[in-house]
Amino acid sequence: MDRTLGKDSDPVSGSMDKSSVWDVRPLRRLVPVFPSQPNSSSFSVPQGAAPFFCVPPFGPFPSDVAPFYPFFASVGSHRHPEQNSQAPSGVGYGNPVTAAVPITSFRMQPPSTAGVNGDTGPSRSSRSRVQSQSHSSFAEEDGYSNSQNQGAQFLSSFSMHVADVEDTSKSARRKNKSQKRTRGSGDINITLPDVDADLIVNNILSSCNLMEFDMLRRTDGDKESVGYILLMFDFLRRKLSQVEDSREAMPGVSRRPDLRVGTILMNKGIRTNIKKRIGVVPGVEIGDIFFFRMELCLIGLHHPIMAGIGYMGLTVNQEEESVAVSIVSSGGYEDNVEDGDVLIYSGQGGNVNRKDKEVVDQKLERGNLALEKSLHRGNEVRVIRGVKDVANPSSKIYVYDGLYKIQESWTEKGKSGCNVFKYKLFRLPGQPEAFMTWKLIQQWKNDITSRIGVILPDLTSGAENIPVTLINDVDDEKGPAHFTYLPSLKYAKLVNSAESYGGCNCHNGCIPGNQNCPCIQKNAGYLPYISNGVLVNQKSLIHECGRSCQCPPNCRNRLSQGGLRVHLEVFKTKDKGWGLRSWDPIRSGGFICEYAGEVIDISKIEELRGENEDGYIFYATRTYQPMEPLCSDSDGVPKIPFPLIITAKDAGNVARFMNHSCSPNVFWQPILRQSDKGYDLHIAFYAIKHMPPMTELTYDYGLILPDKEERKKNCLCGSSKCRGYFY
């Protein structure tokens, strides 16, 4: 009698044939399923014992079997997109320390003699701390390889323990309060956060009311659902990064919040475009950028997390064959990406990008075979190009470059001397530019005269450490009205503080987890920024280090005090006057600039209105729409110590050119800098989502309080959620 481990029925005592063959598999390979009846189970759990968790099962399931809690999606919807998966290394911006610059005037006017009483000392956040990864397959620039047979055990072992986020009982919290677990593959270890981090994720997911996410969009997404998932992923990743930064670093250990968050969201069904498809993916636009491979998987643009080739099965003449649907050209192989419309893509396998294994000839199987089939079928293939992140050269930014078709294939000797498959792909005509825009911007940086419509290479006249280009390629206007460029906020005097504050004594910079630091205490026990200089989340008020603090200018808690971090461009729009956009990609939570100008008394507002010059006034007292689904602790009413009003009419910076939108991609954040002599309040702008180069930067100008009266202006933002007006 032949039995298989896992049958529901048990043998009668004494009746087992010990000579029978049992189909026993390694424990890691077992994927248990449970009968759909509520009171039945294929095994019992002793009372009080911890529940059993493992990687979520994927169907299709037999008619009487359903997936078990917490993987609650309906039977039939569980069709695994790709078994081969891997995740990216952390990426982020560096934060160089810059020198002080003088206050100069637009169009090279003499410098203003007025002093700047704000905290304008030169500061930059410290550079990203890149954790070392000794395993060769994770030493690629983007933390990935294109191989399908590398790192599978690494991600599998990680996923096996991610499901324990569901165990939030008091006993589990007590048991795991100080416990840390490490799992590894080769020389790389993954530190799994203790239950406190798990509770943070689950509490955030609960507070965001995930039931509002239409689960039907998982099959066919749209722009809203794709944006929702990407925002949720990056917000949770930043929160976990904040927690991890507060823990002591361990040599040789790489912490991967991106992997943990991505796995949790996938397990909970918070993803979209699960069904593989050829061609366009609903809700994803050409030119969209991503900083993690996990993002591509969550929105269905490229299903395998690890492999560079995504493919699916098609039935042709009653026979099943695989065709390629997407590829990621990330530099792991010998790809040629110099031509914007042509890509020479190298096949996978053969240990081409492994230094710890012998290189062999690639085989015509799996992804390579799928590409060959797509060549003969002529189907469209989505191409995601990996470009170097200039702010963090060890990392990649992934750009969706649109649809290509494979024109030819061949084999040639690679650098290792072994045979490598080559595929030549051509970009389909009529698509918006994406990768070519990046190449064009690099030309502008090398030679500004190649940019059409340049009025001034740097309208700040050196006041910023990064130039701001003035462009008009729309009409003959030669620039905005004259103003004095002011890189920071100008106070007549510091505001007196009732609280005595001597600042921190962090001579080497504020260190996450140092609960003796008064600046960290003021921020509820955490630094507001993670190591790559990204704001974790929107808050009603952030406390940055001030004049009395002993920390250096590159302290992480002085991030908004160092001036611009990206190359911005003031440009003439078609119908909204002058606007602002960036030559560089900006990641979600990234700092853009502060609102510079002169702080004025509320009594002067009427005077400015009488002169019809209220277009450059910022009201920090206005209400605003909190970001969703980022679960801000702000209710839309800024909790500031005094009613800050700024005018940038005569003196200001690039923020004065940022237009209003009812669906903005930038939000503003009140920041307080305190000293023993008083304090000053600043307004800083951060990115809501990842933004590709040449995206116009906009924020919501806000709404007035019910008891106030303001003139309404017609809104031309063009958003589907446009209110029709702004103040």
Side-chain angles (χ1 to χ4, degrees):
M1 178 176 62
D2 183 60
R3 290 183 177 272
T4 302
L5 186 64
K7 291 290 184 180
D8 291 338
S9 58
D10 295 325
V12 179
S13 177
S15 64
M16 180 180 296
D17 181 2
K18 296 184 179 180
S19 65
S20 63
V21 179
W22 287 65
D23 181 12
V24 180
R25 302 180 183 182
L27 183 58
R28 276 178 191 245
R29 298 289 303 276
L30 292 178
V31 181
V33 293
F34 293 80
S36 56
Q37 289 83 352
N39 297 324
S40 62
S41 174
S42 58
F43 65 91
S44 60
V45 179
Q47 186 175 3
F52 177 80
F53 293 107
C54 74
V55 179
F58 290 90
F61 298 103
S63 58
D64 62 337
V65 176
F68 60 92
Y69 177 85
F71 313 114
F72 46 77
S74 60
V75 176
S77 66
H78 287 258
R79 307 188 187 279
H80 201 295
E82 283 291 340
Q83 291 293 346
N84 299 297
S85 50
Q86 177 183 343
S89 60
V91 296
Y93 283 171
N95 311 301
V97 180
T98 60
V101 293
I103 302 173
T104 60
S105 173
F106 173 58
R107 294 203 185 103
M108 302 298 290
Q109 294 290 332
S112 170
T113 58
V116 179
N117 296 322
D119 187 10
T120 58
S123 305
R124 302 288 286 204
S125 174
S126 59
R127 286 190 176 275
S128 303
R129 295 177 299 183
V130 181
Q131 306 239 3
S132 62
Q133 297 181 343
S134 56
H135 196 290
S136 61
S137 67
F138 292 90
E140 300 295 336
E141 290 176 331
D142 58 353
Y144 282 90
S145 87
N146 287 340
S147 172
Q148 283 193 331
N149 48 21
Q150 292 174 206
Q153 181 181 1
F154 160 73
L155 187 63
S156 175
S157 62
F158 180 87
S159 302
M160 286 290 289
H161 294 273
V162 168
D164 68 4
V165 297
E166 300 300 332
D167 187 9
T168 59
S169 63
K170 293 183 178 179
S171 60
R173 291 197 296 270
R174 288 194 300 269
K175 179 180 178 181
N176 296 286
K177 186 174 182 180
S178 60
Q179 181 182 11
K180 292 185 178 181
R181 302 181 297 272
T182 59
R183 302 288 299 180
S185 174
D187 297 327
I188 185 170
N189 292 321
I190 292 296
T191 295
L192 299 182
D194 58 27
V195 73
D196 289 340
D198 298 339
L199 286 174
I200 289 174
V201 173
N202 282 330
N203 289 339
I204 291 173
L205 292 177
S206 299
S207 65
C208 288
N209 192 9
L210 295 178
M211 296 306 295
E212 293 182 359
F213 178 70
D214 186 356
M215 301 304 286
L216 295 178
R217 295 179 183 173
R218 296 195 310 154
T219 301
D220 291 299
D222 53 28
K223 189 173 182 179
E224 183 178 357
S225 58
V226 166
Y228 180 101
I229 290 170
L230 292 176
L231 283 175
M232 180 61 67
F233 167 81
D234 203 65
F235 172 61
L236 291 173
R237 183 194 62 80
R238 282 180 273 154
K239 291 295 289 186
L240 279 193
S241 295
Q242 185 183 51
V243 174
E244 292 289 1
D245 282 351
S246 301
R247 297 196 175 108
E248 183 179 358
M250 300 177 63
V253 173
S254 177
R255 291 169 174 168
R256 301 296 298 273
D258 56 311
L259 281 177
R260 189 175 190 87
V261 170
T263 307
I264 291 173
L265 293 181
M266 292 177 68
N267 286 349
K268 290 181 177 291
I270 306 172
R271 54 186 303 195
T272 190
N273 294 315
I274 293 180
K275 180 181 178 181
K276 295 182 183 180
R277 68 188 75 215
I278 296 174
V280 175
V281 173
V284 183
E285 297 181 356
I286 295 174
D288 284 351
I289 63 173
F290 311 89
F291 287 83
F292 296 93
R293 289 279 293 267
M294 183 66 80
E295 294 174 298
L296 306 177
C297 182
L298 287 171
I299 64 172
L301 181 62
H302 182 72
H303 283 89
I305 306 173
M306 174 183 143
I309 305 172
Y311 53 91
M312 62 178 290
L314 289 180
T315 302
V316 180
N317 297 327
Q318 297 184 346
E319 292 186 3
E320 186 84 6
E321 69 177 26
S322 297
V323 295
V325 295
S326 61
I327 60 173
V328 176
S329 178
S330 60
Y333 286 81
E334 303 165 10
D335 298 338
N336 181 353
V337 296
E338 295 302 318
D339 193 316
D341 292 324
V342 179
L343 172 64
I344 308 299
Y345 187 79
S346 300
Q348 63 184 192
N351 300 320
V352 172
N353 60 343
R354 293 289 296 271
K355 297 179 181 179
D356 58 340
K357 288 190 176 183
E358 180 183 359
V359 179
V360 297
D361 291 342
Q362 291 184 347
K363 298 179 180 179
L364 191 61
E365 60 184 12
R366 299 194 302 273
N368 297 336
L369 180 59
L371 287 172
E372 191 69 26
K373 294 291 184 180
S374 291
L375 166 63
H376 298 293
R377 290 187 60 84
N379 65 276
E380 300 165 336
V381 178
R382 297 185 296 275
V383 170
I384 300 100
R385 294 189 186 244
V387 298
K388 184 170 292 186
D389 184 356
V390 294
N392 188 1
S394 63
S395 300
K396 291 282 188 180
I397 301 174
Y398 299 96
V399 185
Y400 175 44
D401 199 33
L403 301 177
Y404 284 64
K405 282 191 176 182
I406 306 173
Q407 187 184 64
E408 59 179 310
S409 67
W410 66 94
T411 59
E412 64 180 44
K413 293 291 183 182
K415 296 178 181 179
S416 62
C418 294
N419 288 329
V420 175
F421 287 101
K422 294 286 185 176
Y423 302 90
K424 188 174 186 178
L425 295 92
F426 280 83
R427 193 170 191 262
L428 299 184
Q431 301 181 92
E433 295 293 348
F435 179 67
M436 281 301 296
T437 299
W438 291 67
K439 295 175 67 65
L440 195 60
I441 289 174
Q442 189 57 52
Q443 294 179 14
W444 299 344
K445 290 182 177 181
N446 296 334
D447 179 14
I448 188 60
T449 60
S450 63
R451 176 71 166 106
I452 298 175
V454 174
I455 299 174
L456 281 176
D458 183 15
L459 67 81
T460 77
S461 301
E464 299 282 7
N465 57 303
I466 300 177
V468 177
T469 311
L470 181 62
I471 300 290
N472 185 355
D473 54 6
V474 175
D475 54 32
D476 297 329
E477 188 175 355
K478 297 304 181 183
H482 171 76
F483 72 99
T484 300
Y485 196 93
L486 199 66
S488 189
L489 199 57
K490 179 181 176 181
Y491 273 87
K493 62 179 180 179
L494 291 179
V495 179
N496 291 328
S497 174
E499 177 186 358
S500 176
Y501 184 71
C504 69
N505 295 316
C506 305
H507 296 280
N508 296 322
C510 298
I511 305 300
N514 178 14
Q515 296 304 314
N516 294 322
C517 172
C519 299
I520 291 180
Q521 294 172 6
K522 286 181 173 292
N523 286 295
Y526 289 101
L527 286 176
Y529 307 103
I530 54 179
S531 59
N532 58 6
V534 168
L535 181 69
V536 175
N537 65 304
Q538 184 182 23
K539 301 179 75 67
S540 58
L541 184 66
I542 283 177
H543 296 264
E544 281 194 348
C545 294
R547 297 185 175 201
S548 299
C549 294
Q550 301 300 308
C551 56
N554 66 340
C555 174
R556 187 191 301 187
N557 201 36
R558 294 184 183 271
L559 183 135
S560 71
Q561 303 172 32
L564 301 182
R565 302 165 64 82
V566 291
H567 190 137
L568 297 174
E569 172 184 284
V570 174
F571 72 104
K572 184 65 182 295
T573 68
K574 293 182 178 179
D575 54 4
K576 297 180 294 184
W578 297 92
L580 187 67
R581 59 191 176 195
S582 173
W583 286 10
D584 298 320
I586 305 176
R587 66 184 304 158
S588 177
F591 172 73
I592 297 171
C593 64
E594 74 166 295
Y595 198 100
E598 299 175 279
V599 177
I600 61 174
D601 188 83
I602 192 170
S603 62
K604 292 185 178 181
I605 293 181
E606 294 302 326
E607 179 183 342
L608 291 174
R609 287 176 182 163
E611 297 175 358
N612 226 2
E613 294 287 352
D614 60 343
Y616 293 109
I617 296 181
F618 184 93
Y619 302 83
T621 54
R622 286 182 178 175
T623 61
Y624 55 91
Q625 180 66 36
M627 293 182 303
E628 294 180 356
L630 300 193
C631 309
S632 165
D633 69 354
S634 171
D635 57 3
V637 180
K639 297 177 176 61
I640 55 179
F642 59 91
L644 179 66
I645 301 174
I646 307 169
T647 176
K649 173 182 175 292
D650 298 320
N653 68 344
V654 291
R656 73 198 296 272
F657 297 108
M658 210 180 307
N659 285 315
H660 163 83
S661 175
C662 300
S663 297
N665 51 27
V666 173
F667 69 93
W668 58 272
Q669 170 69 60
I671 294 179
L672 193 67
R673 302 170 191 165
Q674 195 169 356
S675 70
D676 55 355
K677 297 181 180 179
Y679 55 82
D680 51 346
L681 186 66
H682 293 254
I683 300 298
F685 292 93
Y686 303 86
I688 292 177
K689 58 184 179 181
H690 301 330
M691 285 182 281
M694 304 304 287
T695 302
E696 182 177 2
L697 307 177
T698 59
Y699 72 99
D700 191 336
Y701 285 4
L703 302 173
I704 62 172
L705 297 176
D707 58 339
K708 303 292 183 181
E709 290 187 5
E710 291 272 3
R711 291 198 311 270
K712 291 183 179 180
K713 302 178 181 67
N714 292 329
C715 181
L716 302 174
C717 71
S719 165
S720 59
K721 298 180 180 179
C722 181
R723 298 191 295 263
Y725 65 90
F726 66 92
Y727 294 102

